[in-house]
Amino acid sequence: MAPRKIIIDTDPGQDDAVAILLALASPDDLDVLGITAVAGNVPLPLTEKNARIICELAGKPETRVFAGCDTPIARKLVTAEHVHGKTGLDGPTLPEPAMPLQDQHAVDFIIDTLRNEPAKSVTLCPLGPLTNIAVALQRAPDIAERIQEIVLMGGAYFEVGNITPAAEFNIYVDPEAAKVVFECGAPITVMPLDVTHKALVTSNRNAAFRTLGTPVGIAVADMTDFFERFDKEKYGSAGAPLHDPCVTAYLIKPDLFTGRHINVEIETGSDLTLGMTVADWWGVTNRPANATFMGDIDADGFFALLTERLARL
């Protein structure tokens, strides 16, 4: 089979970086048409730069990177330097990127790509706030029916919130954008905290990255060494969850994940639960299913895939 065409929409972020590396290490499975940056973990000037840094780390400087929206649709930007450090990629020491940023705006690239590629042939892979995707859908409603699938990291149900008691960070940053995306009618697969909190970088798993002995393996180990301190202190867990690589791993090996096709609504009106993904896991409403909401992961299989692919770079 031909590799699946994808656009990665991202706000790197160490875990975003690992997701991008996994995709770029898997050209037989994934054809990365472009990487679109959005403000999220850190402001846009850093996320677009970080995306280019990661492409060069992977030895893929020909990858096209586009800068997108620098603020949410209707709110002030909330960032997460307290998790990812002031650069978003704190941990390893990586050189400034030499590869250029593309001139085209990320939203225009998304629209043009979906219109020019055959219908149902391009998958969108949002790893951060959904601003770029939502703005593209608002400007060009015709693209919704042309999307093969939207596979995103965001939300939570059993794990509730990580930025507020009720909300996961990516959805909380731009809940209005998330609402647009979840209501667009395209097939959606969600990697919520319920899954990603089971993808923990334990000391043995991180040692496997470092033992690769490559610039990529060492950089990934340094990244997770840095940001795991936050999650280990917060959750008392054995390591840091690798949220965003779950998206890429699903595209390569979907049988690593299990979930349910359910209704998911986004709360935009409540101060208390703003950004909550109200997931009808138990089917207690009559609202139509609009997303496959993942609930579990084969963590050992996930890390085996990740380590094997990173060794290729």
Side-chain angles (χ1 to χ4, degrees):
M1 291 177 60
R4 185 168 182 169
K5 296 177 181 178
I6 68 170
I7 295 172
I8 299 175
D9 188 70
T10 181
D11 62 336
Q14 291 93 345
D15 57 322
D16 303 72
V18 180
I20 293 168
L21 290 168
L22 177 57
L24 295 177
S26 307
D28 292 340
D29 299 290
L30 303 174
D31 178 7
V32 181
L33 302 179
I35 296 175
T36 51
V38 68
N41 285 323
V42 287
L44 183 67
L46 288 173
T47 62
E48 58 89 348
K49 182 173 81 168
N50 290 348
R52 291 183 289 139
I53 289 172
I54 295 307
C55 290
E56 291 189 351
L57 175 63
K60 307 284 186 179
E62 70 280 3
T63 308
R64 295 184 295 169
V65 176
F66 303 81
C69 299
D70 60 359
T71 56
I73 288 175
R75 301 179 186 273
K76 290 184 178 179
L77 178 65
V78 175
T79 55
E81 287 91 348
H82 62 290
V83 179
H84 299 279
K86 66 182 188 303
T87 70
L89 288 182
D90 282 20
T93 300
L94 298 171
E96 292 289 304
M99 62 183 280
L101 182 69
Q102 300 297 307
D103 292 333
Q104 188 178 28
H105 193 281
V107 170
D108 295 323
F109 169 72
I110 292 168
I111 293 170
D112 289 351
T113 303
L114 287 166
R115 284 176 170 169
N116 293 329
E117 294 287 342
K120 306 287 189 183
S121 71
V122 176
T123 295
L124 302 181
C125 304
L127 309 178
L130 290 162
T131 315
N132 286 342
I133 310 301
V135 172
L137 288 163
Q138 289 177 324
R139 289 186 189 172
D142 59 286
I143 64 174
E145 63 183 18
R146 301 184 64 84
I147 298 169
Q148 180 179 3
E149 188 177 6
I150 299 171
V151 183
L152 66 94
M153 189 277 132
Y157 179 65
F158 294 100
E159 287 283 316
V160 292
N162 64 353
I163 187 69
T164 73
E168 179 274 331
F169 177 81
N170 287 344
I171 306 298
Y172 178 79
V173 169
D174 199 342
E176 285 78 16
K179 185 174 178 66
V180 169
V181 171
F182 275 86
E183 293 178 353
C184 77
I188 297 175
T189 297
V190 184
M191 296 293 162
L193 298 181
D194 307 285
V195 163
T196 67
H197 278 178
K198 298 171 184 173
L200 296 177
V201 186
T202 61
S203 57
N204 287 341
R205 288 165 175 167
N206 209 37
F209 297 148
R210 194 177 300 280
T211 301
L212 294 175
T214 62
V216 166
I218 293 167
V220 167
D222 287 348
M223 287 182 206
T224 54
D225 275 345
F226 175 82
F227 82 93
E228 76 170 4
R229 91 235 176 272
F230 176 80
D231 289 288
K232 288 173 78 171
E233 181 177 342
K234 181 177 181 180
Y235 297 112
S237 58
L242 275 185
H243 306 285
D244 295 329
C246 290
V247 168
T248 340
Y250 169 78
L251 295 171
I252 297 167
K253 200 169 182 181
D255 60 357
L256 291 172
F257 301 88
T258 55
R260 296 182 182 181
H261 191 52
I262 62 171
N263 177 267
V264 180
E265 304 287 340
I266 309 300
E267 177 56 57
T268 60
S270 166
D271 290 337
L272 188 63
T273 58
L274 180 68
M276 184 176 183
T277 45
V278 183
D280 187 11
W281 185 259
W282 303 114
V284 295
T285 73
N286 292 319
R287 296 193 296 264
N290 63 342
T292 299
F293 201 81
M294 291 302 179
D296 208 354
I297 179 176
D298 172 1
D300 288 338
F302 168 79
F303 279 97
L305 172 68
L306 184 54
T307 305
E308 183 267 323
R309 294 301 169 94
L310 293 180
R312 300 181 180 185
L313 294 174

